[in-house]
Amino acid sequence: MSPRFEQFFKPRRPNYRTEEKTYTHRGVELTTPAMYLTFDLKLDFEKYLNTKESKLLFAHDALASLDAIAKVKKITDFDLPRFKADFEQFFKENGWL
C-alpha cells in the first residue's frame, strides 16, 4: 500500500480461533470454521513499485510471513516446516519461484 495510506491500516496481531463462530454480515448468517489463523502481511510498497518481478517478491514475502505461525502459542501439533515446503512447492509449480 502507498505510504500515504499506511496510517489507516495498522498491522494486527495473529489471531487463532479454536472454535466455530457464527455471525451476521450484511443480513447473511456466516459461520467461520474451527481452528483457523489470520494474520496481516504488510508488503513494501516501494520495493514492489520498482520491480518487474512482483510474483517472485510476493512468493518470498509470503513464505517469510509464515513464521508468524510459530509465534502463536495456542497452535500445537502443526508441522510448520512441511507446510512451508508445500507452500514453496505451490509457488514453484506456478512459476513464481
Side-chain angles (χ1 to χ4, degrees):
M1 113 178 32
S2 171
R4 318 187 313 215
F5 301 110
E6 196 170 323
Q7 65 184 346
F8 301 112
F9 298 95
K10 300 293 181 196
R12 296 171 290 185
R13 291 184 351 203
N15 183 12
Y16 180 64
R17 295 199 186 255
T18 56
E19 67 274 342
E20 285 185 350
K21 179 182 173 187
T22 302
Y23 61 97
T24 303
H25 178 71
R26 296 185 178 172
V28 177
E29 189 173 287
L30 302 170
T31 301
T32 59
M35 299 177 64
Y36 73 94
L37 174 71
T38 59
F39 63 94
D40 293 343
L41 171 59
K42 186 176 176 182
L43 303 174
D44 184 339
F45 179 78
E46 293 298 325
K47 187 168 77 171
Y48 281 82
L49 184 65
N50 299 318
T51 187
K52 295 189 184 298
E53 298 292 327
S54 58
K55 288 180 180 180
L56 176 68
L57 285 176
F58 177 75
H60 285 289
D61 287 344
L63 288 170
S65 76
L66 296 178
D67 292 333
I69 296 171
K71 295 176 184 173
V72 179
K73 298 201 185 312
K74 289 184 193 177
I75 298 176
T76 58
D77 196 28
F78 182 74
D79 191 351
L80 182 57
R82 183 174 174 196
F83 183 72
K84 281 184 173 182
D86 288 347
F87 225 68
E88 187 172 350
Q89 183 64 32
F90 169 80
F91 285 129
K92 285 179 180 176
E93 287 175 3
N94 287 285
W96 290 29
L97 281 177

